[in-house]
Amino acid sequence: MIHELQIRVAPEIAYAPLRLTMHVSTMLDVDANRIKECRIVKRSIDARQRNVMINLTLKVYVDEMPESQSMITPIEYPCVKEASNVIVVGAGPAGLFAALRLVELGLRPIVLERGKSVDERRRDMAKIARENIVDPDSNYCFGEGGAGAFSDGKLYTRSKKRGSVDKILAIFHQHGASQDILIDAHPHIGTDKLPAVIKGMRETIIAAGGEVRFSCRVTDFLLENNEVKGVECVDGSRYYGPVILATGHSARDIYYLLEERKVDIEPKGIAVGVRLEHPQHLIDCIQYHSKNGRGKYLPAAEYSMLTRVDGRGVYSFCMCPGGFIIPAASGENQLVVNGMSPSNRGTKWANSGMVVEVLPEDIADYNRYGNLKMMKFQEDIEAKFYEESGRTHDAPAQRMVDFVEGRDSRTLPATSYAPGIHSSRIDKLLPSFIATRLQKGFADFGRKSRGFLTNEAVLIGDETRTSSPVRVPRDKETLQHISVKGLFPCGEGAGYAGGIVSAAIDGER
């Protein structure tokens, strides 16, 4: 007999399988030995009250074993070796999931990635911190897996109307991600686990007859009579077929190319700010309402902050519990940071982007740059921080309260940011309309969450790559470009996604 239950229990029961089984046996009034499996289907943490509780949806198998140990039915991908080609530009989540869906539909994807394989790009990322060298084609933004490959691997999204989140999670699990991502309300894979999952996806594409080519940067579109017939790469090679453009939010050369080739694009709102780093124990204490922190059973605590200041949103973005901050530049004269977490979220730091909404009308001084005005605004901020840092990736930093009160930080706390930090007036480096809103936003967050506004926390700047500064408009029905046939703008880089899962969903579409 199978019993489906929804229960609410303490963490020490939820995260201890034997205790959970005993608890369920009491609820059902059956001998615990008759329970063959107590399978968790959904799990979420409720930390709204002082006593933190775990909500569980269970399938309890009494006197019978489950038919399968897996919670999913794997997708079978057909052979497409002889099928029609479709060019997929970019091997981030949008590109990879587009390629997998093409195989499902009986089409042959040729994936062109400007960067290196997920293993090879690790060496280039290490050079940023150790040698101050940024490879413009292989870094934290570019390479197999895209910007999401070396991140927390957060798979939570609110974009549930555009496609099946469950299918995206199932495909990740099919390619090696833990079954926990099918269960947890806020699933994540972790920067240490995600590369192997990405390689598994590449192997599926190739095994089905598709291609994945690295160090293959697209430099031009093959246009005939207002139709894209294919692309040309930096080495002169050409690939023919309709083009899914999934290049990510940092491929600025692609935006210049679209503008040059008179393919319609438009400026899009972004968000700009800093990375904010707290001790993880402090966040645990605040979120779990305990001076002892998270204790033995609870995971590293997350937070989400949102307010409005002077008509613009101020909010946390890409919160990384138990993580570290990384240098995310993708070219020369840039200083920009991001965050990531390993799967165990086990470091002593918590970090989050803290950003202010910026709309095209907020930067009238940049109107002369036309459709690329928001991108130029990003570039100028990154260049300013880079110059202040002596043209290195040693990042400007300021303690949180010092930032709010507009004063120097005489000392700085220890940080997870490997290239190093130095004291600087971030409140003066950021554009004033952003800095002022951040200061007011932090004050509001401190009132709502006691202990959050503290000089134990440090701002490390700058964070500018929250989303694409450009939208590549497309038809709502066909998803083809509004005026150029054969071109299908996709994912974050085209302005239609914001995160791993929403980009994957858009790739599937």
Side-chain angles (χ1 to χ4, degrees):
M1 181 178 293
I2 302 174
H3 297 267
E4 296 188 2
L5 302 177
Q6 290 186 334
I7 65 174
R8 181 178 169 84
V9 294
E12 57 268 27
I13 294 175
Y15 292 100
L18 183 58
R19 294 186 68 176
L20 179 60
T21 299
M22 296 302 295
H23 181 84
V24 169
S25 74
T26 301
M27 287 183 64
L28 296 178
D29 193 24
V30 299
D31 189 324
N33 293 318
R34 293 175 58 199
I35 298 177
K36 303 306 179 183
E37 184 172 335
C38 193
R39 178 174 290 181
I40 299 174
V41 179
K42 292 294 178 184
R43 177 172 55 208
S44 64
I45 299 172
D46 185 351
R48 292 173 295 178
Q49 306 298 322
R50 184 159 295 279
N51 292 324
V52 178
M53 301 296 285
I54 311 298
N55 297 318
L56 299 176
T57 300
L58 304 173
K59 277 190 176 181
V60 183
Y61 295 82
V62 178
D63 295 329
E64 65 177 280
M65 297 297 294
E67 292 182 1
S68 172
Q69 292 302 307
S70 177
M71 294 177 65
I72 66 167
T73 301
I75 295 172
E76 294 186 9
Y77 293 96
C79 178
V80 295
K81 191 172 183 180
E82 304 300 324
S84 299
N85 292 339
V86 178
I87 312 306
V88 180
V89 185
L96 289 172
F97 275 82
L100 290 170
R101 182 63 178 150
L102 286 166
V103 173
E104 276 191 87
L105 296 172
L107 294 163
R108 183 173 182 263
I110 300 177
V111 182
L112 306 178
E113 169 54 51
R114 69 187 298 163
K116 299 177 184 177
S117 71
V118 74
D119 287 328
E120 289 183 289
R121 66 189 283 209
R122 291 177 189 271
R123 291 189 286 272
D124 295 316
M125 294 187 304
K127 288 181 181 179
I128 301 174
R130 295 174 185 169
E131 303 174 41
N132 197 42
I133 297 173
V134 178
D135 183 327
D137 288 322
S138 180
N139 46 64
Y140 280 100
C141 293
F142 300 144
E144 185 181 22
F150 295 94
S151 69
D152 183 78
K154 283 176 285 294
L155 303 179
Y156 176 73
T157 182
R158 293 184 176 89
S159 301
K160 297 180 180 180
K161 295 181 180 180
R162 295 184 176 185
S164 172
V165 174
D166 288 343
K167 182 182 178 184
I168 299 302
L169 298 180
I171 292 172
F172 274 121
H173 176 49
Q174 179 174 337
H175 289 91
S178 166
Q179 191 161 274
D180 284 348
I181 68 170
L182 308 177
I183 295 169
D184 288 325
H186 284 219
H188 72 102
I189 297 177
T191 187
D192 52 332
K193 304 289 187 183
L194 195 51
V197 177
I198 291 164
K199 285 192 287 185
M201 293 180 178
R202 181 220 308 166
E203 289 164 3
T204 293
I205 294 165
I206 293 172
E211 295 183 37
V212 179
R213 295 182 175 270
F214 300 116
S215 301
C216 206
R217 174 164 49 89
V218 168
T219 55
D220 203 1
F221 300 109
L222 305 179
L223 277 165
E224 293 180 17
N225 300 320
N226 214 37
E227 181 175 357
V228 171
K229 298 291 188 177
V231 297
E232 182 173 313
C233 294
V234 66
D235 63 356
S237 59
R238 291 186 169 194
Y239 299 87
Y240 294 89
V243 174
I244 295 175
L245 188 66
T247 48
H249 60 43
S250 292
R252 292 169 175 169
D253 55 334
I254 292 294
Y255 300 140
Y256 282 118
L257 175 61
L258 291 168
E259 184 85 338
E260 178 186 331
R261 298 292 258 141
K262 301 189 185 316
V263 176
D264 289 339
I265 59 175
E266 58 193 31
K268 181 185 125 316
I270 57 174
V272 172
V274 296
R275 273 276 145 182
L276 176 65
E277 187 169 71
H278 284 82
Q280 181 63 53
H281 179 72
L282 175 59
I283 297 300
D284 292 340
C285 292
I286 293 170
Q287 296 299 96
Y288 292 138
H289 322 292
S290 170
K291 65 180 180 180
N292 298 318
R294 65 179 180 264
K296 181 179 178 181
Y297 295 100
L298 289 167
E302 304 176 53
Y303 64 77
S304 178
M305 299 288 182
L306 171 65
T307 190
R308 288 192 71 80
V309 176
D310 300 331
R312 293 290 179 265
V314 179
Y315 57 94
S316 60
F317 174 84
C318 184
M319 196 270 153
C320 298
F324 39 93
I325 298 175
I326 57 171
S330 56
E332 295 181 346
N333 303 317
Q334 301 172 0
L335 192 152
V336 57
V337 298
N338 202 344
M340 63 166 60
S341 299
S343 58
N344 68 358
R345 292 178 164 178
T347 80
K348 61 183 179 181
W349 293 284
N351 73 77
S352 175
M354 282 288 178
V355 294
V356 176
E357 177 186 23
V358 182
L359 301 180
E361 56 263 36
D362 296 333
I363 54 169
D365 290 350
Y366 282 78
N367 286 345
R368 63 188 183 278
Y369 297 107
N371 293 321
L372 300 177
K373 62 185 288 187
M374 303 301 286
M375 187 179 81
K376 181 61 177 173
F377 179 67
Q378 279 181 326
E379 288 179 333
D380 284 354
I381 293 173
E382 293 167 10
K384 185 175 183 179
F385 274 73
Y386 186 66
E387 290 297 327
E388 194 279 342
S389 297
R391 302 179 66 79
T392 72
H393 295 277
D394 182 84
Q398 190 175 14
R399 289 183 184 264
M400 190 179 185
V401 175
D402 293 341
F403 172 81
V404 170
E405 297 183 357
R407 61 173 180 245
D408 291 321
S409 293
R410 295 182 179 179
T411 63
L412 294 173
T415 178
S416 67
Y417 182 66
I421 58 176
H422 62 276
S423 181
S424 184
R425 290 292 297 275
I426 290 181
D427 58 310
K428 293 185 176 181
L429 282 173
L430 286 172
S432 60
F433 73 94
I434 292 175
T436 300
R437 286 184 170 95
L438 265 183
Q439 289 168 329
K440 293 178 180 178
F442 286 160
D444 187 38
F445 298 155
R447 288 188 291 270
K448 293 175 180 176
S449 184
R450 186 176 179 183
F452 188 81
L453 177 56
T454 172
N455 255 358
E456 289 186 64
V458 61
L459 281 64
I460 298 175
D462 55 315
E463 170 96 28
T464 56
R465 309 283 180 93
T466 54
S467 66
S468 167
V470 169
R471 177 172 284 107
V472 188
R474 66 190 188 190
D475 182 88
K476 291 182 179 179
E477 297 299 322
T478 66
L479 305 187
Q480 193 167 214
H481 189 273
I482 57 170
S483 59
V484 177
K485 294 180 180 179
L487 180 65
F488 296 83
C490 177
E492 283 202 44
Y496 296 98
I500 292 173
V501 171
S502 63
I505 287 173
D506 205 53
E508 280 243 323
R509 293 183 73 207

